[in-house]
Amino acid sequence: METDKGSREFQVFVKPVGARCNLRCSYCYYMEKDTLLQGSGVFRMSDEVLEEYVRQHVEASGGQELFFSWHGGEPTLAGIDFFRKVMTIQRRLAPEGCRVTNGMQTNATLIDEEWGRFLREEGFYVGVSLDGPERFHNGNRKRADSSGTFAEVMRGLDILRAEGVQHEILCVVNSENVHAPLEVYRFFKSLGVPFISFLPLVEQQDNSDAGVTAHSVRPADFGKFLSVIFDEWIEKDIGKIKIQIFEEALRTAFGQEHTLCIFKPACGAVPVVEMNGDFYSCDHYVDEEHLIGNIMNSSLNSLLDHPRQIAFGEAKKSVLPRYCIDCEVLEMCHGECPRNRFIKTPDGEPGLNYLCEGYRQFFNHCRPFINEVAKVWKSVL
């Protein structure tokens, strides 16, 4: 069935240099994807693939707003001239009156004054990977020689701030920084950061007692981390700083659908287009099994609507354990991301999310506030 393009919601993670990166972060899950195109001689998205992608994205969107999301690896390795070309193509192909926005996720170590001016002039929204103060950041975000990157990230971030580039922080919460919630949060506040996303690190390891690596965050610790920060945010910073998971929880007070894919009932609307045009189901499922097609042979519309892609998205909902279906915070979580559903429920049913304990703890912690917000909201309707 053909989807109404005017109502379609999707976000493509575009990989202009694939998995290539100038860093060697200890927990990077995408670096290994470099083997996908080994021997191909391709190191950057070609002009032909780039133009075809932009054209198809415009056609698939069908509305008055377009959002392009550039990821890696490290997308700045494509070079500033590549992104100047992106702007040229977008201006040529976007319908008149259409608002075009570009987002980029970067480690910020290659950001210089020229990049800063370009990103400001072109209205980019930039996500910067930063795991908190230096003692936490340098523990995992390293160069190939194992040296830390904190100073270079801060230099890049300072340039973005000085240029007035819209930005946010993406902080990976691991077994170290999870025990210092207020230190991490107050550090970001000191930088004047407007938006923060906390991303829990979960790395499976079958021969571990916990089933995960030592660097991975423990569920109860993550729940406490979020709850402690939530309390300070409510007291001092609500309306000043946006924290992604808090914003998502609050959407339930207004009867709004989640915007973050991991908390939606179904997924599949955030696929990947690799630098050679290959279309994969999700950033965490870039493998042969989840290769749906290539935009040089099939339209983005048809790939988004492909039966295998639809089935991938619907499986998130259809295989949810009864323990989740009966949960009091189901509407806030919906079982989170399928990649983390590798433990069993208390009664032995498979498919429970590894982070369940932490999410349940946090969502129950913030429910009283959210319920009060919902009451106030309903009273003024």
Side-chain angles (χ1 to χ4, degrees):
M1 182 175 67
E2 182 70 17
T3 300
D4 176 7
K5 292 185 289 184
S7 63
R8 181 194 295 282
E9 293 185 9
F10 67 91
Q11 178 184 359
V12 179
F13 282 7
V14 190
K15 310 280 187 172
V17 294
R20 286 176 57 214
C21 187
N22 60 319
L23 305 187
R24 294 296 181 269
C25 300
S26 63
Y27 46 60
C28 180
Y29 63 89
Y30 209 80
M31 186 66 69
E32 65 186 37
K33 307 304 179 184
D34 197 38
T35 59
L36 291 170
L37 299 177
Q38 275 188 357
S40 67
V42 177
F43 300 101
R44 189 180 72 184
M45 182 174 282
S46 69
D47 293 354
E48 181 184 16
V49 173
L50 173 62
E51 175 137 1
E52 186 64 19
Y53 167 67
V54 173
R55 183 184 67 77
Q56 291 191 25
H57 187 114
V58 170
E59 291 177 354
S61 296
Q64 291 304 303
E65 292 192 10
L66 296 169
F67 182 71
F68 293 84
S69 189
W70 307 94
H71 282 245
E74 174 48 46
T76 57
L77 287 175
I80 198 168
D81 287 340
F82 173 87
F83 284 98
R84 288 194 175 107
K85 194 174 300 177
V86 168
M87 300 299 106
T88 299
I89 296 172
Q90 287 178 350
R91 290 189 181 103
R92 174 161 47 84
L93 296 179
E96 185 176 352
C98 181
R99 182 172 179 265
V100 180
T101 305
N102 287 273
M104 176 188 291
Q105 179 60 35
T106 176
N107 59 44
T109 60
L110 301 178
I111 299 294
D112 57 16
E113 284 75 11
E114 184 181 14
W115 268 111
R117 287 191 300 272
F118 169 79
L119 294 169
R120 172 181 54 79
E121 291 168 356
E122 298 297 347
F124 269 69
Y125 189 89
V126 179
V128 175
S129 299
L130 180 64
D131 290 349
E134 184 170 8
R135 72 188 185 99
F136 294 126
H137 180 88
N138 280 348
N140 293 291
R141 294 193 176 274
K142 302 175 182 290
R143 303 181 189 85
D145 63 3
S146 296
S147 58
T149 61
F150 181 81
E152 285 73 18
V153 175
M154 291 301 297
R155 178 190 52 76
L157 180 59
D158 285 344
I159 290 172
L160 295 176
R161 293 168 64 202
E163 288 288 343
V165 176
Q166 297 183 78
H167 64 282
E168 67 173 304
I169 295 296
L170 277 76
C171 171
V172 173
V173 183
N174 55 66
S175 60
E176 297 296 326
N177 59 4
V178 73
H179 298 295
L182 292 182
E183 181 184 354
V184 171
Y185 178 51
R186 289 169 181 171
F187 168 71
F188 292 143
K189 283 204 294 184
S190 73
L191 300 177
V193 173
F195 198 107
I196 307 168
S197 292
F198 291 115
L199 311 176
L201 176 62
V202 180
E203 297 176 315
Q204 281 189 262
Q205 185 171 299
D206 293 337
N207 60 357
S208 160
D209 290 340
V212 295
T213 63
H215 289 305
S216 297
V217 71
R218 272 26 182 195
D221 292 339
F222 185 55
K224 182 179 179 181
F225 175 92
L226 293 174
S227 298
V228 169
I229 293 175
F230 181 81
D231 289 344
E232 174 145 325
W233 179 75
I234 286 296
E235 180 183 353
K236 301 178 180 179
D237 305 312
I238 189 168
K240 300 175 185 177
I241 299 174
K242 291 189 175 184
I243 298 178
Q244 188 180 52
I245 189 170
F246 300 171
E247 298 289 321
E248 288 294 322
L250 279 163
R251 294 184 71 83
T252 61
F254 307 109
Q256 298 173 332
E257 294 183 3
H258 287 294
T259 59
L260 187 61
C261 65
I262 62 172
F263 295 138
K264 290 186 175 185
C267 57
V270 190
V272 163
V273 169
E274 258 288 351
M275 60 179 171
N276 66 340
D278 281 346
F279 177 107
Y280 292 90
S281 294
C282 168
D283 195 48
H284 292 285
Y285 291 88
V286 176
D287 52 42
E288 186 174 348
E289 181 183 352
H290 295 91
L291 173 60
I292 306 300
N294 188 290
I295 63 168
M296 303 306 287
N297 304 315
S298 304
S299 72
L300 187 59
N301 260 324
S302 66
L303 294 169
L304 287 164
D305 290 336
H306 193 284
R308 285 174 54 213
Q309 184 67 6
I310 298 298
F312 170 82
E314 289 298 318
K316 178 182 179 181
K317 179 169 54 178
S318 63
V319 300
L320 202 62
R322 171 56 57 181
Y323 185 79
C324 294
I325 295 171
D326 295 338
C327 180
E328 71 278 4
V329 293
L330 174 64
E331 68 172 347
M332 294 181 175
C333 175
H334 291 291
E336 207 244 10
C337 184
R339 73 185 175 95
N340 292 328
R341 296 181 182 178
F342 55 83
I343 65 172
K344 293 182 178 180
T345 65
D347 60 359
E349 186 179 3
L352 183 65
N353 196 294
Y354 165 79
L355 293 166
C356 172
E357 179 186 359
Y359 279 123
R360 196 169 191 173
Q361 175 187 335
F362 166 67
F363 287 133
N364 274 310
H365 180 82
C366 68
R367 276 177 81 197
F369 174 78
I370 291 171
N371 289 340
E372 286 301 312
V373 171
K375 286 180 184 178
V376 173
W377 173 252
K378 289 175 183 177
S379 71
V380 298
L381 290 179

